[in-house]
Amino acid sequence: SHIMSEYVRMTDTERDQIDQDAQIFMRTCADAIHQLRTEAHKGVQSSQVKEHRTAVLDFIEDYLKRVCKLYSEQRAIRVKRVIDKKRL
């Protein structure tokens, strides 16, 4: 209830800004993961270190994908609400 009341008070401009910032942040994170993956495979290291770094980066990348999916679902709900309001 308290969360919903704050949600209603947010303007569409504020929501658009949050969406834009979130997309930029997710893209930045994906780029950083890609860069880390490239750097992790450079240099001479043991196979155990390479496997560990690959596993950690896979985990981080999977987490980012789940966050992006959640964001997309939330955005879809927002778009649906806007469309439903226009129909009324």
Side-chain angles (χ1 to χ4, degrees), residues 54-86:
T54 299
V56 169
L57 289 168
D58 288 347
F59 176 76
I60 293 170
E61 189 172 46
D62 181 61
Y63 184 79
L64 178 61
K65 286 179 184 178
R66 287 184 279 138
V67 169
C68 291
K69 181 181 178 196
L70 181 62
Y71 165 77
S72 295
E73 291 169 357
Q74 293 295 315
R75 182 146 167 84
I77 291 169
R78 177 178 169 216
V79 169
K80 185 181 181 308
R81 286 182 180 162
V82 168
I83 291 171
D84 289 346
K85 280 184 181 179
K86 288 183 180 181

Side-chain angles (χ1 to χ4, degrees), residues 7-68:
Y7 174 78
V8 173
R9 292 182 190 148
M10 192 180 296
T11 66
D12 286 336
T13 303
E14 290 170 325
R15 289 185 191 104
D16 291 341
Q17 184 63 49
I18 290 170
D19 284 343
Q20 183 180 6
D21 292 345
Q23 289 174 352
I24 290 168
F25 184 74
M26 288 183 289
R27 204 172 308 118
T28 302
C29 289
D31 291 344
I33 292 168
H34 177 73
Q35 183 178 2
L36 282 170
R37 194 175 296 278
T38 301
E39 290 176 19
H41 291 90
K42 288 181 181 175
V44 179
Q45 307 152 47
S46 71
S47 62
Q48 187 177 16
V49 170
K50 284 184 180 183
E51 288 177 27
H52 174 72
R53 289 180 179 178
T54 299
V56 169
L57 289 168
D58 288 347
F59 176 76
I60 293 170
E61 189 172 46
D62 181 61
Y63 184 79
L64 178 61
K65 286 179 184 178
R66 287 184 279 138
V67 169
C68 291

